[in-house]
Amino acid sequence: MKKVGNHKSFSKIFFSVAFVLVTSLSAFAQDAAKGKELFNTNCAACHKLDAKATGPALRGVASKYDKEWLYKWIKNSGELIKSGDAQAVKVFEENNKVPMTAFPQLSNEDIDNILAYTSEPKPEPVVADTTANGGGGNEESGVSNNLILGVLSLVMMMLVVMLFLVNNMLTKIASAKGLEVEQKDRSVLNLFRAYAKNQFLVLVSAILLLLVSAYFAYGWMMQIGVDQGYEPVQPIHYSHRIHAGENGIDCKYCHSAARVSKHSNIPSLNVCMNCHKNISEVAETTATEEHSKAFYDGEIAKLYDAVGWDKSLQKYTGKTKPVKWVRIHNLPDHVYFNHSQHVTVAGVECQTCHGPVEEMEIMKQHAPLTMGWCINCHRETNVKVEDNAYYKKIHEELSKKYGVSQLTAAQMGGLECGKCHY
């Protein structure tokens, strides 16, 4: 008997097609993930997906050029330009004739993965939900505090009224029973006369007044010239939290003179541009409640304006503007402090004096920088002698003299006046 119908049922065809689609989509996602890793390793130094950097923006580049041409361009763009390829010459001239690094080590499969990553659609910007718990926390806490203060004030007023009513009631009861309430003279004048007649009380009060006045006067005078907590607003906002904290940039990369000089330098703007030529905006995750992404991007724009950098053309215009930085740490003229002696010879960490700068959004003076503060440090800090030939001989002699294996800076002459004043 002959069978009627197709031996491949509809359900088999449907599941086969679905399997092929799912496999294709998962393979594309995997290719894009590999492509992102390859892009960040090889391309991110000069290219961005959606903005021009040293090279052009690369999102959608696969749809603009033939894939075989892209293979040749990425592996060796210089050779393609020398061959006279019209498209290669055009791209080269459109990007200020900046030569592109050759990547012969990338296979066609690697390039396909990178192109898959650059072909992904641009993600929609995430809009912060201001109605979330963290958004209006300060306002809610403010309202609750005002409510508590209002309730406490009402309770105090009620107590005062109750005391007044109780006093009136007791007075009326005493009058009804024929009791005479003795009225004492409690005028301020009589109290002052009684106080003035007591010579012992006057003497004790005078001594206490002098001691308290001397205490506050001494405390006030000792704060003259001490700027602990000084936190000025700078012309261009610089976040140590982002640079030294999140990005882990070494303090001495920017303040390089601290290793070899008496003074720690203010970094020149070309040091900033070493990174910010290719970083014209911050990531979404960088923003905080106090400072938005738009705020940080605006500060980078101020940097570009100061150095005369044209972001669209990726070149300097020659029009520069001075940045008037506000000095934070400032010792008196009669005080000598050598950064290289502490940073390079003694190996003192920057945070010892400047505090946790990696956590500071705005830089401030962490320590008092007073004479007593410096002396205490010299008394408590052991001199680092390991692998330090500078101190070897004198350390051996003084160790025998004091009978100790470790010496503080004070024991090695760190309290001599001429060390800091000359």
Side-chain angles (χ1 to χ4, degrees), residues 63-107:
S63 62
K64 297 177 182 178
Y65 304 100
D66 179 69
K67 185 176 286 188
E68 292 299 325
W69 183 87
L70 284 172
Y71 291 156
K72 296 177 183 177
W73 173 262
I74 293 171
K75 290 182 179 181
N76 196 333
S77 62
E79 184 178 333
L80 198 59
I81 293 168
K82 287 180 182 178
S83 69
D85 184 274
Q87 191 164 251
V89 173
K90 182 183 178 183
V91 172
F92 181 62
E93 291 178 347
E94 285 177 350
N95 291 279
N96 302 323
K97 296 184 178 181
V98 177
M100 175 178 164
T101 305
F103 294 99
Q105 74 276 14
L106 293 179
S107 64

Short mmCIF file of all heavy atoms in Angstrom, two decimals, residues 63-107:
data_model
loop_
_atom_site.label_atom_id
_atom_site.label_comp_id
_atom_site.label_asym_id
_atom_site.label_seq_id
_atom_site.Cartn_x
_atom_site.Cartn_y
_atom_site.Cartn_z
N SER A 63 29.22 47.73 7.07
CA SER A 63 28.24 48.04 6.02
C SER A 63 28.75 49.10 5.04
O SER A 63 28.13 49.34 4.01
CB SER A 63 26.92 48.50 6.65
OG SER A 63 27.13 49.69 7.40
N LYS A 64 29.87 49.76 5.37
CA LYS A 64 30.39 50.84 4.52
C LYS A 64 31.43 50.34 3.51
O LYS A 64 31.62 50.97 2.47
CB LYS A 64 31.03 51.92 5.40
CG LYS A 64 30.06 52.61 6.35
CD LYS A 64 30.80 53.63 7.22
CE LYS A 64 29.86 54.29 8.22
NZ LYS A 64 30.58 55.24 9.10
N TYR A 65 32.12 49.27 3.85
CA TYR A 65 33.21 48.81 3.00
C TYR A 65 33.06 47.31 2.73
O TYR A 65 32.45 46.57 3.51
CB TYR A 65 34.57 49.07 3.65
CG TYR A 65 34.80 50.52 4.03
CD1 TYR A 65 34.63 50.95 5.34
CD2 TYR A 65 35.16 51.46 3.07
CE1 TYR A 65 34.83 52.28 5.68
CE2 TYR A 65 35.36 52.79 3.40
CZ TYR A 65 35.19 53.20 4.71
OH TYR A 65 35.38 54.51 5.05
N ASP A 66 33.66 46.87 1.65
CA ASP A 66 33.68 45.46 1.29
C ASP A 66 34.53 44.68 2.31
O ASP A 66 35.59 45.16 2.74
CB ASP A 66 34.26 45.29 -0.12
CG ASP A 66 34.31 43.83 -0.53
OD1 ASP A 66 33.25 43.24 -0.73
OD2 ASP A 66 35.44 43.30 -0.62
N LYS A 67 34.07 43.51 2.67
CA LYS A 67 34.76 42.74 3.72
C LYS A 67 36.17 42.35 3.29
O LYS A 67 37.12 42.41 4.11
CB LYS A 67 33.95 41.49 4.08
CG LYS A 67 34.53 40.71 5.25
CD LYS A 67 33.66 39.54 5.66
CE LYS A 67 32.42 40.00 6.40
NZ LYS A 67 31.68 38.83 6.97
N GLU A 68 36.36 41.94 2.04
CA GLU A 68 37.70 41.56 1.58
C GLU A 68 38.65 42.74 1.65
O GLU A 68 39.84 42.60 1.99
CB GLU A 68 37.62 41.00 0.15
CG GLU A 68 36.90 39.68 0.02
CD GLU A 68 37.59 38.57 0.82
OE1 GLU A 68 38.83 38.59 0.90
OE2 GLU A 68 36.88 37.70 1.36
N TRP A 69 38.12 43.94 1.34
CA TRP A 69 38.95 45.14 1.42
C TRP A 69 39.32 45.44 2.87
O TRP A 69 40.45 45.84 3.16
CB TRP A 69 38.19 46.33 0.82
CG TRP A 69 39.00 47.60 0.80
CD1 TRP A 69 39.87 48.01 -0.15
CD2 TRP A 69 39.00 48.61 1.83
NE1 TRP A 69 40.43 49.22 0.18
CE2 TRP A 69 39.92 49.62 1.40
CE3 TRP A 69 38.34 48.78 3.02
CZ2 TRP A 69 40.17 50.76 2.15
CZ3 TRP A 69 38.60 49.91 3.78
CH2 TRP A 69 39.51 50.89 3.35
N LEU A 70 38.37 45.23 3.79
CA LEU A 70 38.64 45.45 5.21
C LEU A 70 39.73 44.50 5.72
O LEU A 70 40.55 44.89 6.55
CB LEU A 70 37.35 45.28 6.02
CG LEU A 70 36.35 46.44 5.95
CD1 LEU A 70 35.04 46.06 6.63
CD2 LEU A 70 36.91 47.70 6.59
N TYR A 71 39.71 43.25 5.25
CA TYR A 71 40.76 42.31 5.64
C TYR A 71 42.14 42.89 5.31
O TYR A 71 43.06 42.90 6.12
CB TYR A 71 40.59 40.97 4.94
CG TYR A 71 39.39 40.16 5.37
CD1 TYR A 71 38.83 39.20 4.52
CD2 TYR A 71 38.82 40.33 6.63
CE1 TYR A 71 37.73 38.44 4.91
CE2 TYR A 71 37.72 39.58 7.03
CZ TYR A 71 37.18 38.64 6.17
OH TYR A 71 36.10 37.91 6.56
N LYS A 72 42.29 43.36 4.06
CA LYS A 72 43.57 43.90 3.61
C LYS A 72 43.94 45.17 4.37
O LYS A 72 45.10 45.37 4.75
CB LYS A 72 43.50 44.19 2.11
CG LYS A 72 43.29 42.96 1.24
CD LYS A 72 43.16 43.35 -0.22
CE LYS A 72 42.87 42.14 -1.11
NZ LYS A 72 42.68 42.53 -2.53
N TRP A 73 42.94 46.04 4.59
CA TRP A 73 43.19 47.33 5.25
C TRP A 73 43.67 47.13 6.69
O TRP A 73 44.61 47.75 7.14
CB TRP A 73 41.93 48.18 5.21
CG TRP A 73 42.03 49.44 6.01
CD1 TRP A 73 41.57 49.66 7.28
CD2 TRP A 73 42.65 50.67 5.60
NE1 TRP A 73 41.86 50.93 7.68
CE2 TRP A 73 42.51 51.58 6.67
CE3 TRP A 73 43.29 51.08 4.44
CZ2 TRP A 73 43.01 52.88 6.62
CZ3 TRP A 73 43.77 52.39 4.38
CH2 TRP A 73 43.64 53.27 5.46
N ILE A 74 42.98 46.24 7.40
CA ILE A 74 43.31 46.04 8.82
C ILE A 74 44.66 45.34 8.97
O ILE A 74 45.46 45.69 9.85
CB ILE A 74 42.19 45.23 9.52
CG1 ILE A 74 40.90 46.06 9.57
CG2 ILE A 74 42.61 44.81 10.93
CD1 ILE A 74 39.69 45.30 10.04
N LYS A 75 44.96 44.39 8.09
CA LYS A 75 46.21 43.64 8.22
C LYS A 75 47.42 44.48 7.84
O LYS A 75 48.48 44.36 8.45
CB LYS A 75 46.14 42.38 7.37
CG LYS A 75 45.18 41.34 7.95
CD LYS A 75 45.15 40.08 7.12
CE LYS A 75 44.20 39.05 7.72
NZ LYS A 75 44.16 37.80 6.94
N ASN A 76 47.28 45.35 6.84
CA ASN A 76 48.39 46.21 6.45
C ASN A 76 47.87 47.37 5.60
O ASN A 76 47.87 47.30 4.36
CB ASN A 76 49.45 45.42 5.68
CG ASN A 76 50.77 46.18 5.62
OD1 ASN A 76 50.81 47.40 5.69
ND2 ASN A 76 51.87 45.43 5.48
N SER A 77 47.43 48.44 6.28
CA SER A 77 46.86 49.58 5.56
C SER A 77 47.92 50.32 4.74
O SER A 77 47.65 50.84 3.66
CB SER A 77 46.20 50.55 6.55
OG SER A 77 47.17 51.05 7.46
N GLY A 78 49.16 50.36 5.26
CA GLY A 78 50.24 51.07 4.56
C GLY A 78 50.51 50.46 3.19
O GLY A 78 50.72 51.19 2.20
N GLU A 79 50.51 49.15 3.13
CA GLU A 79 50.78 48.47 1.85
C GLU A 79 49.65 48.74 0.86
O GLU A 79 49.89 48.93 -0.34
CB GLU A 79 50.92 46.97 2.11
CG GLU A 79 51.28 46.18 0.86
CD GLU A 79 51.46 44.70 1.18
OE1 GLU A 79 51.80 44.37 2.34
OE2 GLU A 79 51.26 43.88 0.27
N LEU A 80 48.41 48.79 1.38
CA LEU A 80 47.26 49.05 0.51
C LEU A 80 47.30 50.47 -0.04
O LEU A 80 46.95 50.71 -1.20
CB LEU A 80 45.98 48.82 1.32
CG LEU A 80 44.67 48.61 0.53
CD1 LEU A 80 44.79 47.40 -0.40
CD2 LEU A 80 43.50 48.43 1.48
N ILE A 81 47.76 51.42 0.77
CA ILE A 81 47.87 52.82 0.32
C ILE A 81 48.95 52.94 -0.74
O ILE A 81 48.78 53.61 -1.77
CB ILE A 81 48.17 53.74 1.52
CG1 ILE A 81 46.97 53.78 2.49
CG2 ILE A 81 48.49 55.15 1.06
CD1 ILE A 81 47.27 54.41 3.82
N LYS A 82 50.09 52.28 -0.50
CA LYS A 82 51.20 52.34 -1.47
C LYS A 82 50.82 51.73 -2.81
O LYS A 82 51.33 52.13 -3.86
CB LYS A 82 52.41 51.61 -0.90
CG LYS A 82 53.12 52.36 0.22
CD LYS A 82 54.31 51.57 0.72
CE LYS A 82 54.99 52.32 1.89
NZ LYS A 82 56.13 51.53 2.42
N SER A 83 49.90 50.75 -2.78
CA SER A 83 49.48 50.12 -4.03
C SER A 83 48.62 51.04 -4.89
O SER A 83 48.34 50.73 -6.05
CB SER A 83 48.71 48.83 -3.73
OG SER A 83 47.45 49.13 -3.13
N GLY A 84 48.19 52.19 -4.31
CA GLY A 84 47.40 53.15 -5.06
C GLY A 84 45.91 52.90 -4.99
O GLY A 84 45.13 53.50 -5.76
N ASP A 85 45.48 52.02 -4.10
CA ASP A 85 44.05 51.75 -3.95
C ASP A 85 43.31 53.05 -3.62
O ASP A 85 43.61 53.73 -2.63
CB ASP A 85 43.84 50.72 -2.83
CG ASP A 85 42.38 50.31 -2.67
OD1 ASP A 85 41.65 51.03 -1.96
OD2 ASP A 85 41.99 49.30 -3.26
N ALA A 86 42.35 53.43 -4.48
CA ALA A 86 41.68 54.73 -4.37
C ALA A 86 40.95 54.87 -3.04
O ALA A 86 40.99 55.92 -2.39
CB ALA A 86 40.70 54.90 -5.53
N GLN A 87 40.27 53.80 -2.62
CA GLN A 87 39.50 53.86 -1.37
C GLN A 87 40.44 53.99 -0.17
O GLN A 87 40.15 54.74 0.77
CB GLN A 87 38.64 52.61 -1.24
CG GLN A 87 37.62 52.70 -0.12
CD GLN A 87 36.54 51.65 -0.25
OE1 GLN A 87 35.41 51.95 -0.57
NE2 GLN A 87 36.90 50.39 -0.03
N ALA A 88 41.57 53.29 -0.20
CA ALA A 88 42.54 53.36 0.90
C ALA A 88 43.14 54.75 1.00
O ALA A 88 43.30 55.30 2.10
CB ALA A 88 43.62 52.31 0.69
N VAL A 89 43.48 55.34 -0.14
CA VAL A 89 44.05 56.69 -0.15
C VAL A 89 43.05 57.69 0.38
O VAL A 89 43.39 58.61 1.14
CB VAL A 89 44.50 57.06 -1.58
CG1 VAL A 89 44.93 58.53 -1.64
CG2 VAL A 89 45.64 56.16 -2.04
N LYS A 90 41.77 57.54 0.01
CA LYS A 90 40.71 58.46 0.46
C LYS A 90 40.56 58.40 1.99
O LYS A 90 40.50 59.43 2.66
CB LYS A 90 39.40 58.10 -0.22
CG LYS A 90 38.25 59.02 0.15
CD LYS A 90 36.96 58.58 -0.51
CE LYS A 90 35.80 59.49 -0.08
NZ LYS A 90 34.51 59.03 -0.64
N VAL A 91 40.51 57.19 2.53
CA VAL A 91 40.37 57.03 3.99
C VAL A 91 41.58 57.62 4.70
O VAL A 91 41.45 58.29 5.74
CB VAL A 91 40.19 55.54 4.36
CG1 VAL A 91 40.24 55.34 5.86
CG2 VAL A 91 38.88 55.01 3.80
N PHE A 92 42.75 57.41 4.17
CA PHE A 92 43.99 57.91 4.75
C PHE A 92 43.99 59.44 4.80
O PHE A 92 44.34 60.05 5.82
CB PHE A 92 45.18 57.41 3.94
CG PHE A 92 46.52 57.85 4.44
CD1 PHE A 92 46.96 57.48 5.71
CD2 PHE A 92 47.35 58.66 3.67
CE1 PHE A 92 48.20 57.88 6.18
CE2 PHE A 92 48.59 59.07 4.14
CZ PHE A 92 49.01 58.68 5.40
N GLU A 93 43.56 60.09 3.73
CA GLU A 93 43.54 61.55 3.66
C GLU A 93 42.43 62.13 4.53
O GLU A 93 42.57 63.22 5.10
CB GLU A 93 43.38 62.00 2.21
CG GLU A 93 44.61 61.71 1.36
CD GLU A 93 44.43 62.13 -0.09
OE1 GLU A 93 43.26 62.41 -0.47
OE2 GLU A 93 45.42 62.17 -0.83
N GLU A 94 41.30 61.45 4.64
CA GLU A 94 40.18 61.95 5.45
C GLU A 94 40.52 61.95 6.94
O GLU A 94 39.91 62.67 7.72
CB GLU A 94 38.94 61.08 5.22
CG GLU A 94 38.25 61.34 3.89
CD GLU A 94 37.06 60.42 3.68
OE1 GLU A 94 36.90 59.45 4.49
OE2 GLU A 94 36.30 60.64 2.73
N ASN A 95 41.50 61.15 7.35
CA ASN A 95 41.87 61.05 8.76
C ASN A 95 43.25 61.65 9.02
O ASN A 95 44.08 61.09 9.75
CB ASN A 95 41.83 59.58 9.20
CG ASN A 95 40.42 59.04 9.26
OD1 ASN A 95 39.69 59.26 10.22
ND2 ASN A 95 40.01 58.34 8.19
N ASN A 96 43.50 62.81 8.40
CA ASN A 96 44.70 63.63 8.65
C ASN A 96 45.99 62.89 8.32
O ASN A 96 47.05 63.18 8.89
CB ASN A 96 44.74 64.10 10.11
CG ASN A 96 43.52 64.90 10.49
OD1 ASN A 96 43.00 65.67 9.68
ND2 ASN A 96 43.03 64.70 11.71
N LYS A 97 45.91 61.89 7.45
CA LYS A 97 47.08 61.12 7.01
C LYS A 97 47.83 60.49 8.19
O LYS A 97 49.06 60.40 8.19
CB LYS A 97 48.03 62.01 6.19
CG LYS A 97 47.41 62.50 4.90
CD LYS A 97 48.40 63.30 4.07
CE LYS A 97 47.78 63.74 2.75
NZ LYS A 97 48.74 64.49 1.90
N VAL A 98 47.06 60.09 9.19
CA VAL A 98 47.64 59.38 10.34
C VAL A 98 47.74 57.91 9.99
O VAL A 98 46.72 57.26 9.71
CB VAL A 98 46.79 59.57 11.61
CG1 VAL A 98 47.37 58.78 12.76
CG2 VAL A 98 46.68 61.04 11.96
N PRO A 99 48.94 57.33 9.96
CA PRO A 99 49.07 55.91 9.57
C PRO A 99 48.44 54.99 10.61
O PRO A 99 48.54 55.22 11.81
CB PRO A 99 50.58 55.70 9.49
CG PRO A 99 51.17 56.77 10.37
CD PRO A 99 50.24 57.95 10.27
N MET A 100 47.76 53.98 10.10
CA MET A 100 47.13 53.01 10.99
C MET A 100 48.08 51.86 11.27
O MET A 100 48.79 51.39 10.38
CB MET A 100 45.85 52.48 10.34
CG MET A 100 45.16 51.38 11.14
SD MET A 100 43.64 50.85 10.36
CE MET A 100 43.35 49.31 11.22
N THR A 101 48.11 51.40 12.51
CA THR A 101 48.96 50.28 12.89
C THR A 101 48.55 49.03 12.13
O THR A 101 47.35 48.74 12.00
CB THR A 101 48.86 50.02 14.40
OG1 THR A 101 49.17 51.22 15.10
CG2 THR A 101 49.80 48.92 14.84
N ALA A 102 49.50 48.29 11.61
CA ALA A 102 49.21 47.04 10.91
C ALA A 102 48.96 45.91 11.91
O ALA A 102 49.61 45.84 12.96
CB ALA A 102 50.38 46.67 9.99
N PHE A 103 48.01 45.04 11.58
CA PHE A 103 47.67 43.91 12.46
C PHE A 103 47.73 42.61 11.66
O PHE A 103 46.70 41.94 11.46
CB PHE A 103 46.28 44.10 13.06
CG PHE A 103 46.17 45.27 14.00
CD1 PHE A 103 45.65 46.47 13.55
CD2 PHE A 103 46.60 45.17 15.30
CE1 PHE A 103 45.55 47.56 14.39
CE2 PHE A 103 46.50 46.26 16.16
CZ PHE A 103 45.98 47.46 15.70
N PRO A 104 48.92 42.20 11.21
CA PRO A 104 49.02 40.95 10.43
C PRO A 104 48.70 39.71 11.26
O PRO A 104 48.41 38.65 10.71
CB PRO A 104 50.48 40.96 9.96
CG PRO A 104 51.21 41.80 10.96
CD PRO A 104 50.23 42.85 11.37
N GLN A 105 48.76 39.86 12.58
CA GLN A 105 48.51 38.71 13.45
C GLN A 105 47.02 38.35 13.55
O GLN A 105 46.67 37.26 14.00
CB GLN A 105 49.07 38.97 14.86
CG GLN A 105 48.27 39.94 15.70
CD GLN A 105 48.62 41.40 15.44
OE1 GLN A 105 49.28 41.70 14.43
NE2 GLN A 105 48.20 42.30 16.31
N LEU A 106 46.15 39.27 13.11
CA LEU A 106 44.70 39.01 13.18
C LEU A 106 44.28 38.15 12.00
O LEU A 106 44.57 38.47 10.84
CB LEU A 106 43.92 40.32 13.19
CG LEU A 106 44.08 41.24 14.41
CD1 LEU A 106 43.27 42.51 14.23
CD2 LEU A 106 43.67 40.53 15.69
N SER A 107 43.57 37.06 12.28
CA SER A 107 43.05 36.21 11.21
C SER A 107 41.75 36.81 10.68
O SER A 107 41.17 37.72 11.28
CB SER A 107 42.80 34.80 11.74
OG SER A 107 41.79 34.83 12.74
#
